[in-house]
Amino acid sequence: MVETILNRTQMLGRATLDGFARLGRASLFLLEVLSNLGGMLKRPGLLIKQLFSVGVQTLIIIVVAGLFVGMVMALQSYYALVDFGAENSVSVMVVLSLLRELGPVITALLFAGRAGSALTAEIGLMKTTEQLSGMEMMAVNPIERIVAPRFLAGVIAMPLLAAIFSAVGVMGGYLVAVELLGLDAGAFWSQAQENVELIDDLGNGMIKSLVFGVVVSWIAVFEGYDCIPTSEGLGQATTRTVVYGSLAILVLDFVLTALMFGK
Amino acid sequence: MSETLVKIRGLTFSRGNNLIFDNVDMDIPRKGITAIMGPSGTGKTTLLKLIGGQLQPDSGSIEVDGQNIHQLKTRELYELRKRMGMLFQSGALLTDLSVFENVAYPIREHTRLSESMIRQLVLMKLNAVGLRGARDLEPAELSGGMSRRVSMARAIALDPMMIMYDEPFTGQDPISMGVLVKLIKSLNDALNFCSIVVSHDVRETMSIADYVYLISAGTVVEHGTPEAITNSESEWTRQFIKGLADGPVPFHVKATPLLDDLLTTAERKRG
């Protein structure tokens, strides 16, 4: 009995220490990536290629998701507001929820699932097949050539994708509210224009998605670079990217919302 | 200029509680083929990674061309690595680049040569390994042996002072193996540099090596010319070289006597 308790305590202690060691490694890794951004920028082609891979290729899923989220938001807002005769405020609810919350958060969650997992798998497979070691032995720094462009592309792509998500979401909301439910188009746009602040709403949403971009890209490239170089290790690393990335987004969203919109 | 290119002194390295090298000394000459052989799991690949500065030893030193590789700054280490080629077991080709671009990669990274000059160099290197005709193929279209030959062409792209081969013959059919044996020998003769071959394929490695180190259980068991190793009195060496199933490395893993084991199991089940 005592032995079991001791073993459990020991396991808990070891897991905690391992967790902190990993966090330390991840932080040092991030510093190394940041210090190599300058060198990477001398070869803009690397960044452009990755922007296409993590940004453009994620666009379809973002557009489709944004459209339907906007449409659902409009429907739900209409059903809630029509009882109070406030259906003309549908656009305010749609636009504010998209800009402040849904745009950055859902984009980041989709990004972690689509682009984040792909980044981890790609870097992890390069490690497993010794391509990263091969580069090191060719006197080429894999952090600069492989990791840094992918990280920066993720950081740049996330706010742009979130902006596109929100814009398409608003269009979806317009389609439902004006074209389907017959609300006045002028009221839809003027209500939105009156109640949305550039800095407080749009700006804060963009800051959120920038923070999510840094965190999700950091987790994705670190998990790939740090994975155990076996097929099982690679699978686990990819799963961790999606799980840790999604949890980090949700926790950070709460923290950022509290900081930005708290009175 | 010293005759020794790689000088290893008192090398100790462990992974967790597992001691891989225990106070190992080695001298690898500047010219010729040096083979490092030993059973699987003895740390032969680890030794190459230590020589290349990819791993840090617990203690001891490794000097490459007179420079202590683990005391170099990153920039100095990368400068030295430009003169060290390495062939990985998997080939380690960059999968998003063609054969031509893979060989051109180190040249593009480290020189400012014109495109026409790069083309000439790459074609010459690929011709040396017999794969000039495969220059437009993708790595996924190559066999294991061809990948290693492309990797060889890439390793000699910058005319290094040494090349390290990690298990070059593993998993090859007889023809590919013959090609790789011939290539390692002919490249070494033509470029007159240092080749370090890590392998446990005794016959092929001994046929081209000028000097052999046998390592096992973290130490150098024996070293000498292939003839001296072949005629060694050591039982372990004889077992390894001739591939005998039983000897100092026993066939059976240490265990209690069979009868005791069987009876114990039966009693436990009955109980």
Side-chain angles (χ1 to χ4, degrees):
Chain A
M1 179 66 183
V2 176
E3 202 177 329
T4 316
I5 294 171
L6 276 175
N7 280 343
R8 293 269 159 85
T9 317
Q10 209 173 28
M11 275 166 64
L12 185 69
R14 194 175 299 133
T16 313
L17 283 177
D18 286 350
F20 277 112
R22 232 174 114 68
L23 191 63
R25 274 208 312 281
S27 306
L28 290 174
F29 178 78
L30 180 64
L31 282 180
E32 203 177 344
V33 173
L34 294 175
S35 66
N36 278 292
L37 285 179
M40 183 271 292
L41 288 173
K42 288 177 197 157
R43 290 177 168 78
L46 291 174
L47 179 62
I48 291 166
K49 194 175 166 194
Q50 291 311 317
L51 274 173
F52 177 80
S53 175
V54 302
V56 178
Q57 291 188 337
T58 313
L59 203 53
I60 296 275
I61 188 174
I62 293 293
V63 167
V64 174
L67 184 70
F68 283 100
V69 168
M71 288 165 79
V72 169
M73 276 304 299
L75 270 183
Q76 291 284 13
S77 314
Y78 179 81
Y79 295 144
L81 295 171
V82 75
D83 293 342
F84 308 101
E87 64 270 26
N88 279 336
S89 297
V90 162
S91 64
V92 181
M93 279 195 74
V94 171
V95 174
L96 284 185
S97 18
L98 279 169
L99 288 181
R100 287 179 170 194
E101 289 296 331
L102 297 177
V105 172
I106 298 182
T107 303
L109 290 174
L110 292 172
F111 185 90
R114 155 62 185 84
S117 58
L119 284 179
T120 304
E122 191 185 8
I123 295 175
L125 195 64
M126 289 184 86
K127 181 178 182 180
T128 310
T129 54
E130 296 182 307
Q131 292 181 55
L132 299 181
S133 287
M135 291 181 95
E136 278 181 7
M137 286 309 297
M138 283 190 281
V140 175
N141 184 355
I143 301 274
E144 186 184 302
R145 295 292 193 283
I146 302 294
V147 178
R150 284 163 177 76
F151 172 78
L152 189 59
V155 175
I156 295 173
M158 186 78 90
L160 297 176
L161 289 170
I164 293 169
F165 183 99
S166 298
V168 175
V170 173
M171 294 310 294
Y174 176 86
L175 280 178
V176 168
V178 177
E179 304 295 338
L180 191 71
L181 300 171
L183 296 183
D184 182 57
F188 183 91
W189 292 120
S190 64
Q191 285 278 337
Q193 208 173 351
E194 248 172 58
N195 290 287
V196 175
E197 297 292 329
L198 182 68
I199 304 294
D200 285 349
D201 302 319
L202 189 67
N204 281 341
M206 285 293 109
I207 291 172
K208 269 188 184 180
S209 60
L210 189 68
V211 173
F212 296 158
V214 171
V215 172
V216 174
S217 306
W218 175 25
I219 291 173
V221 292
F222 174 71
E223 288 295 347
Y225 203 79
D226 196 56
C227 79
I228 300 165
T230 59
S231 44
E232 194 189 359
L234 185 53
Q236 287 170 346
T238 313
T239 307
R240 275 199 303 270
T241 291
V242 179
V243 174
Y244 291 171
S246 305
L247 291 177
I249 291 161
L250 297 173
V251 172
L252 277 171
D253 183 46
F254 171 74
V255 175
L256 289 171
T257 304
L259 288 175
M260 287 169 171
F261 301 105
K263 298 287 178 196
Chain B
M1 195 186 284
S2 161
E3 280 304 301
T4 303
L5 183 68
V6 181
K7 189 167 149 188
I8 301 174
R9 289 291 175 271
L11 175 70
T12 302
F13 179 79
S14 51
R15 282 186 199 275
N17 294 327
N18 191 12
L19 188 64
I20 312 279
F21 293 115
D22 184 12
N23 204 21
V24 165
D25 292 343
M26 275 188 193
D27 285 304
I28 297 173
R30 194 171 282 277
K31 295 189 192 310
I33 300 175
T34 303
I36 297 169
M37 295 199 288
S40 299
T42 42
K44 301 186 295 294
T45 304
T46 305
L47 182 64
L48 291 189
K49 290 194 168 178
L50 283 160
I51 294 173
Q54 289 188 298
L55 294 173
Q56 197 75 21
D58 298 341
S59 63
S61 68
I62 298 178
E63 281 183 19
V64 178
D65 199 24
Q67 300 183 69
N68 188 331
I69 198 139
H70 297 104
Q71 287 179 354
L72 295 178
K73 293 184 180 129
T74 309
R75 187 175 297 226
E76 294 165 337
L77 178 63
Y78 276 28
E79 277 306 311
L80 188 61
R81 279 185 187 157
K82 287 180 194 171
R83 298 191 289 139
M84 301 164 80
M86 180 148 173
L87 183 129
F88 287 86
Q89 198 173 341
S90 60
L93 297 177
L94 299 169
T95 45
D96 57 340
L97 300 179
S98 67
V99 164
F100 182 95
E101 287 302 324
N102 259 289
V103 180
Y105 189 79
I107 307 176
R108 288 192 205 286
E109 285 290 330
H110 299 306
T111 69
R112 289 172 188 271
L113 296 175
S114 66
E115 202 51 40
S116 63
M117 183 67 89
I118 291 175
R119 185 171 181 278
Q120 305 273 326
L121 278 173
V122 172
L123 292 182
M124 277 161 60
K125 305 293 177 190
L126 279 174
N127 199 48
V129 297
L131 290 178
R132 189 165 43 85
R135 61 178 176 266
D136 295 325
L137 296 182
E138 297 296 320
E141 298 174 276
L142 302 174
S143 68
M146 286 166 90
S147 293
R148 286 180 205 184
R149 282 154 70 186
V150 176
S151 189
M152 264 183 182
R154 188 176 69 176
I156 56 167
L158 293 173
D159 296 326
M161 62 183 171
M162 65 185 287
I163 182 165
M164 296 185 276
Y165 298 93
D166 183 13
E167 304 277 8
F169 312 120
T170 304
Q172 297 300 302
D173 63 63
I175 299 174
S176 295
M177 188 133 32
V179 169
L180 289 167
V181 169
K182 177 183 163 288
L183 269 176
I184 293 173
K185 179 73 178 153
S186 58
L187 279 180
N188 191 76
D189 290 347
L191 301 171
N192 197 23
F193 62 180
C194 165
S195 301
I196 303 174
V197 182
V198 150
S199 177
H200 46 50
D201 294 287
V202 174
R203 200 166 58 87
E204 290 74 19
T205 312
M206 295 280 264
S207 71
I208 52 170
D210 298 306
Y211 204 79
V212 178
Y213 278 94
L214 289 182
I215 57 173
S216 178
T219 55
V220 175
V221 177
E222 198 156 357
H223 59 99
T225 59
E227 293 73 34
I229 297 288
T230 311
N231 300 323
S232 168
E233 296 293 315
S234 154
E235 274 190 59
W236 185 91
T237 305
R238 276 218 300 275
Q239 186 188 4
F240 181 76
I241 297 294
K242 292 183 178 159
L244 304 175
D246 211 350
V249 180
F251 172 73
H252 286 290
V253 174
K254 202 173 171 185
T256 52
L258 178 64
L259 192 60
D260 292 355
D261 220 358
L262 292 174
L263 286 173
T264 313
T265 315
E267 276 166 14
R268 194 183 300 147
K269 273 186 182 169
R270 209 177 299 141

